[in-house]
Every structure is written in structure tokens, then in C-alpha cells.
Amino acid sequence: MCLTSVGRVISVEDGQALVDLDGLQRRAMSLMIPDLRPGELVLVGLGTVLGRVDLADHEALERIQPATSQRLPTSPPRAMAQPVPTLPPDRPTP
């Protein structure tokens, strides 16, 4: 699963954009959108500006955000929370 966020571009320099994501300023690679300008709304995922977001889409995302955030797990799945078993030092790895 890839988590994405909508933010507002603060500045663009050398293929990187400084983006305001809910009050946090983060750098994101902006090479996919070469004509990006400060003030634009963008979708950011995995440290990359994925595209522009228009105001209507941004408002729609904000309306559904509470519903989707309630469905996100608050802790890792049980299988991931348990330690990974290790082989004893005298056994060769398969």
C-alpha cells in the first residue's frame, strides 16, 4: 500500500519541490512535473510529486479522509509484530 498526501508547493529548485503537507514541510522529487510552480496543489507519494491536484479533487479528498483514516490499522499485523526466528550458528543457511 502506498500512502499519498496532498500538499501545496512552497518552492521548486533543481528537480525538487518543497511541499507543505498539513503544516510539515517536506522535500519531494519533482522531475515528473517539470513546470511545477509554487502555490500549486500536488499529490505526493514516496517522496515524489506524482501530479497536480485541482481544488475540486482536493475538497473531495478532504471529505473522504476521515472515513479512510478510520480504516487504517493502528498497529502492525500480528504476523509482523512477532520476531523473526534465526538459525543457530552451527546450521548452514539454506
Side-chain angles (χ1 to χ4, degrees), residues 6-86:
V6 175
R8 188 169 302 274
V9 176
I10 298 170
S11 65
V12 181
E13 185 178 326
D14 297 329
Q16 285 195 344
L18 182 62
V19 182
D20 179 6
L21 300 168
D22 291 329
L24 297 174
Q25 293 183 2
R26 298 285 186 239
R27 294 216 171 269
M29 184 182 71
S30 62
L31 296 173
M32 292 174 56
I33 316 290
D35 57 341
L36 198 59
R37 296 184 192 150
E40 291 186 294
L41 289 172
V42 291
L43 184 66
V44 177
L46 297 174
T48 304
V49 176
L50 301 173
R52 290 183 175 89
V53 176
D54 65 16
L55 191 55
D57 288 341
H58 178 62
E59 290 170 352
L61 286 170
E62 287 204 344
R63 279 195 306 272
I64 65 170
Q65 182 180 5
T68 56
S69 63
Q70 290 174 359
R71 286 184 269 149
L72 293 175
T74 56
S75 61
R78 175 176 273 177
M80 292 178 65
Q82 298 175 4
V84 177
T86 58

